[in-house]
Amino acid sequence: MIFAIKNFEIHDGDGIRTTLFFKGCPLRCKWCHNPESLSFEKEKMYDAKLCVDCMRCTKLCEANIIENNRHVFIRENCTLCGRCEAVCPQNAFETAGIDLSPEEIAAELLKDEIFMKNSGGGVTFSGGEPLMQPDLCVQIAKMLKEHDINIAIDTSAAVSRAAIDAVLPYTDTFLFDIKAMDEQVHIHCTGASNKNILDNIQYVDSVGTPMEIRYPYVPTMNDGEWEGIAAFIGKLKNVKIVRILPYHDYADRKYHCLGLSYPVPDIPVPSVDDVSSVAEKMKSLGLKNVVVG
């Protein structure tokens, strides 16, 4: 199960890339910017702000009704039939989740082969957590490697060692998030321990695969973790670049479209100066190639 294929991405590895987003994730990061990726199941997204009360969808199913001359979406009645999406003139409805075969996915990704190769780019597996579906990753990767496509895997590393081993032969770069070094902070932020995550990162480093480390910087949540993260990264041998990713609240709309409340409405967005200061502090501890964004 995937939920998106995005072309011409420049933030998910080197060059121009096509990013494949897998559905399903073992973590529950409170600031997650892809809430539609958390569940392995298809989900209906509905943006009430786009609705113009044309009432076309109310004639199609029990999930869309009329109350006080206004359209109302009853989420629990939705069967994901997709008919509302077909008739809505404002694109207020969207199904998060796409059923495609590995061959169909690979064919879609390879449409941009010329742009990838001319820019030193490739394909990035992201999510959600792509390595929760390791067999699918391997099947797609094998087809991409037949075309000599560079593959990056953007993973939380909160997966089994077997999943890591399955994709290692096909992976040119791993993109790892380190959200916290303190285990209790990590549990508070994500709902899970970080022990397996850190072990997997050290394992990938030991086999020599290049990696990019990302530190999602979230004020009041993990902003005090930079020193421990820098010390951990400093012991790794195959880190190409360290990225500090400042928290943003752009995903607020997505949560509402899924019928969910935004988990952290009171977190402040960090200033450029704050994040740049953290980058300089990490550099002062000996890290090279630390960038913001």
Side-chain angles (χ1 to χ4, degrees), residues 94-268:
E94 179 183 354
T95 298
I98 308 168
D99 286 317
L100 294 174
S101 70
E103 291 77 14
E104 290 172 319
I105 294 171
E108 187 65 29
L109 297 172
L110 287 168
K111 288 180 179 180
D112 290 335
E113 179 176 359
I114 188 171
F115 300 107
M116 298 175 197
K117 290 184 174 178
N118 285 344
S119 68
V123 170
T124 299
F125 294 178
S126 186
E129 175 50 68
L131 297 186
M132 293 295 285
Q133 301 182 62
D135 292 342
L136 178 58
C137 287
V138 169
Q139 290 178 71
I140 297 169
K142 286 181 177 179
M143 287 182 271
L144 295 179
K145 283 303 181 184
E146 290 176 359
H147 294 259
D148 198 28
I149 299 296
N150 178 282
I151 295 175
I153 296 188
D154 183 358
T155 171
S156 69
V159 297
S160 69
R161 182 63 55 82
I164 298 282
D165 283 334
V167 299
L168 262 176
Y170 313 100
T171 305
D172 296 287
T173 306
F174 280 95
L175 313 179
F176 289 120
D177 277 5
I178 300 181
K179 300 171 177 71
M181 288 302 298
D182 184 284
E183 185 180 15
Q184 293 307 310
V185 173
H186 197 276
I187 290 171
H188 175 68
C189 291
T190 72
S193 169
N194 59 355
K195 289 183 178 179
N196 183 48
I197 292 169
L198 300 177
D199 286 346
N200 279 331
I201 293 173
Q202 291 175 317
Y203 171 67
V204 169
D205 186 58
S206 73
V207 299
T209 304
M211 63 180 76
E212 174 181 308
I213 302 293
R214 299 168 163 200
Y215 169 29
Y217 180 82
V218 188
T220 74
M221 298 292 292
N222 68 348
D223 48 340
E225 292 294 301
W226 64 268
E227 189 170 3
I229 290 173
F232 177 82
I233 295 173
K235 298 176 182 177
L236 303 175
K237 299 178 181 179
N238 294 287
V239 178
K240 299 192 304 180
I241 191 168
V242 178
R243 294 188 187 276
I244 303 177
L245 305 180
Y247 164 77
H248 60 72
D249 57 3
Y250 303 157
D252 187 14
R253 171 191 160 273
K254 289 185 179 182
Y255 283 89
H256 290 294
C257 289
L258 289 165
L260 304 172
S261 297
Y262 191 53
V264 285
D266 299 323
I267 288 183

Side-chain angles (χ1 to χ4, degrees), residues 259-280:
L260 304 172
S261 297
Y262 191 53
V264 285
D266 299 323
I267 288 183
V269 175
S271 69
V272 173
D273 288 343
D274 286 343
V275 184
S276 297
S277 174
V278 172
E280 292 305 314

Side-chain angles (χ1 to χ4, degrees), residues 5-160:
I5 296 175
K6 293 188 177 180
N7 311 91
F8 294 91
E9 293 285 299
I10 57 172
H11 304 295
D12 296 327
D14 296 333
I16 295 173
R17 310 190 73 82
T18 298
T19 302
L20 173 64
F21 292 87
F22 291 73
K23 214 168 181 317
C25 185
L27 302 182
R28 289 298 179 267
C29 302
K30 293 185 177 181
W31 57 81
C32 180
H33 61 273
N34 283 337
E36 72 275 34
S37 75
L38 298 178
S39 170
F40 286 95
E41 305 298 327
K42 288 185 179 182
E43 300 169 279
K44 181 66 71 179
M45 301 181 73
Y46 168 64
D47 191 343
K49 292 182 179 179
L50 295 179
C51 179
V52 293
D53 294 315
C54 71
M55 307 303 179
R56 296 180 187 180
C57 60
T58 63
K59 302 173 184 178
L60 301 176
C61 69
E62 295 180 354
N64 296 285
I65 64 173
I66 301 172
E67 286 185 358
N68 300 320
N69 295 317
R70 300 294 303 273
H71 165 257
V72 177
F73 175 57
I74 309 298
R75 185 174 297 277
E76 54 267 30
N77 292 344
C78 180
T79 61
L80 298 170
C81 68
R83 289 181 290 174
C84 55
E85 297 174 45
V87 300
C88 180
Q90 297 296 107
N91 296 317
F93 295 97
E94 179 183 354
T95 298
I98 308 168
D99 286 317
L100 294 174
S101 70
E103 291 77 14
E104 290 172 319
I105 294 171
E108 187 65 29
L109 297 172
L110 287 168
K111 288 180 179 180
D112 290 335
E113 179 176 359
I114 188 171
F115 300 107
M116 298 175 197
K117 290 184 174 178
N118 285 344
S119 68
V123 170
T124 299
F125 294 178
S126 186
E129 175 50 68
L131 297 186
M132 293 295 285
Q133 301 182 62
D135 292 342
L136 178 58
C137 287
V138 169
Q139 290 178 71
I140 297 169
K142 286 181 177 179
M143 287 182 271
L144 295 179
K145 283 303 181 184
E146 290 176 359
H147 294 259
D148 198 28
I149 299 296
N150 178 282
I151 295 175
I153 296 188
D154 183 358
T155 171
S156 69
V159 297
S160 69

